[in-house]
Amino acid sequence: MMTRGMFETYFLPGVWITIQVTLYSALMAAVIAFVIGTMRTSQLWIVRFISGTYFEIFRGMSALVFMFWLVFSLPLIFQWQLVPMFAGVLAMGLTYGAYGSEIVRGALAAVPVAQREAGLALGFSRFDRLRRIEIPQAWPEMVPPLNNLLIELLKCTALVSTITVADMTFAGNLVRIGESESAPIYTLLLVVYFVMAFIITRGMRVVERQAKAGIGQAPPRTSFWEKLSLREPGGEGTTGAPSKIGGAQ
Amino acid sequence: MPASVDSQESNGQSRASGAELVRFNKITKRFGDVKVLDELSFSVDTGKHVTLIGPSGSGKTTILRLLMTLLTPDEGSIVVDGDYLTHQEKNGKLVKPSEKHVREVRKKIGMVFQQFNLFPNMKVLRNVTEAPRHVLGLPKDEAVHRAEELIELVGLSEHLDKYPSQLSGGQQQRVAIARALAMRPQVLCLDEVTAALDPELVAGVLDVLRDIAQTADITMLVVTHEMSFARDISDAVLMFDAGKIIESGPPDKIFTDPEHGRTREFLSTVLRGL
Ligand SMILES: Nc1ncnc2c1ncn2[C@@H]1O[C@H](COP(=O)(O)OP(=O)(O)O)[C@@H](O)[C@H]1O
Ligand SMILES: [Mg+2]
């Protein structure tokens, strides 16, 4: 069994590093997703071209190889070294920003054309239409897929352990080497990632409910069972757990 | 005459001549290979209420959308209050208008849509204050004051704090009317604003519009199939068929003694439908 010393010296700080890496990459990815996603709905072909190119490049990029490249190849070219944690955040922010831009673009495209026309008829500029009309309406549609992406990002942060960032997976590996038993630490890791993902989902569910209330839609009703599960919230007409369990997918 | 149909070219200095607010000059509009409007010319004088009638597909919506700049014509020009909407004058020549120029001229035009198109993410009050605040730059309390007056005018003061989804279609349409008026446009375009409503809600909306037509000195360009409403509010009626004005005149003349066979036919089908 893992000793108390190992746990406090390596594992707890590792949990904190994982949280930080997740937060910073998510923040960076969110900014990129919104900027690139809205650019991809532009009327100007050049703006669409630039943002589309970004999307195509970074969606096809392996985050892991990209991290290695930033840490091991980039210094040879530019003669300076990135802090490993920064390299990890950069690699994940850029790639997950590309995935996220697809969610943002899709949700914006789903806003009815009539809303754009109503905005135009009232004289709003393109930027004001986006900010005041289109993005607020698209936002509730974006939350569930962004939640999925955020959980994937969280699990992907384990990759930074390969570039010497001491996150909790890195700490777990240290503990395995330090102690002779390896089973308990990986079980613990799985549980901690799961709990973090669960907390994210609960948080995003609150965000989604507020987003829907913010456009006058009744907040989705959630049963006790749905509160416990990680599933997407059921559609309208969900009256309770039994029918959902009966119609198990 | 409040609305005139002719093919005369504007000389681009109509502001001085005063009365004419909107002018379509030989407007041609195609959708793909289909020519929906073919060298259409007409004008609307300041303060007049002009109703466009005609069978479905005759191009009425297209005309309003051209004026609202939701469409651009393939040929011809549109002048609003002496300024080109479709062009910009530079060194005496007409060139493609800049975005800024279009936005400036567009401020003189307002539109109410068949499907209301309220912003679902804003409550009633904010639907009406948003554009005055952020397009015209009015201070918040002034925009709110203006909005409250208009919302009272359309009879919805109790619903200021509701989302559009909590209102009936008729109420939503009345909010949309208030929202358009809050911008104080010179011309208000109404495109079959009661066509999407349940029959029992139509009268409420038409009453509000009658009231506005009587009291506000706003120019109106109205597309409607509500013939008694058209008769009440119009100074002139233009009868369209296949993208052409086939007959025009004061409502009493058009509705009681139309000259054109197509007009008679159209009116009898519409009136039978009532
Ligand atoms: N966006 C569009 N694309 C293609 N055809 C269109 C479009 N809008 C209108 N049309 C066609 O143009 C004609 C005139 O339409 P419209 O102006 O809506 O007529 P109305 O309002 O008088 O019923 C119709 O034949 C219609 O099918
Ligand atoms: Mg129409």
Side-chain angles (χ1 to χ4, degrees), chain A residues 4 16 57 88 93 105 111 124 126 132 157 188 209 246 248:
Chain A
R4 232 186 126 74
W16 175 232
I57 289 175
R105 187 201 60 78
V111 174
F124 287 108
R126 157 102 179 126
R132 303 179 185 284
T157 58
L188 178 64
R209 216 168 303 146

Side-chain angles (χ1 to χ4, degrees), chain B residues 31 36 55-62:
Chain B
F31 290 115
V36 175
S56 173
S58 58
K60 307 178 299 291
T61 295
T62 303

Side-chain angles (χ1 to χ4, degrees), chain B residues 116-130:
Chain B
F116 340 131
N117 303 352
L118 292 181
F119 304 129
N121 56 313
M122 302 177 197
K123 290 180 177 172
V124 166
L125 181 64
R126 210 176 130 213
N127 257 284
V128 184
T129 57
E130 194 75 352

Side-chain angles (χ1 to χ4, degrees), chain A residues 148-205:
Chain A
N148 284 339
L149 199 59
L150 188 52
I151 287 170
E152 279 198 29
L153 172 71
L154 163 72
K155 294 182 289 188
C156 180
T157 58
L159 295 180
V160 298
S161 64
T162 61
I163 53 167
T164 72
V165 177
D167 75 331
M168 63 188 195
T169 300
F170 188 87
N173 286 332
L174 274 189
V175 171
R176 174 180 57 95
I177 294 163
E179 319 264 318
S180 49
E181 288 175 90
S182 54
I185 189 63
Y186 289 121
T187 309
L188 178 64
L189 268 178
L190 282 178
V191 170
V192 176
Y193 277 114
F194 176 82
V195 169
M196 285 180 173
F198 188 79
I199 291 169
I200 289 175
T201 297
R202 297 308 319 155
M204 291 295 267
R205 202 67 64 76

Side-chain angles (χ1 to χ4, degrees), chain B residues 56-57 59-62 114 191-192 223 225:
Chain B
S56 173
K60 307 178 299 291
T61 295
T62 303
Q114 191 173 329
D191 189 9
E192 298 198 39
V223 174
H225 287 298

Side-chain angles (χ1 to χ4, degrees), chain B residues 4 17 28 79 87 93 97 109-110 112 152 164 189 191 196 198 209 260 263 272:
Chain B
S4 56
S17 72
T28 298
V79 179
H87 300 76
K93 273 203 288 203
I109 307 153
V112 181
E152 191 183 342
C189 301
D191 189 9
D198 291 337
L209 289 173
H260 213 285
T263 314
R272 218 182 9 250

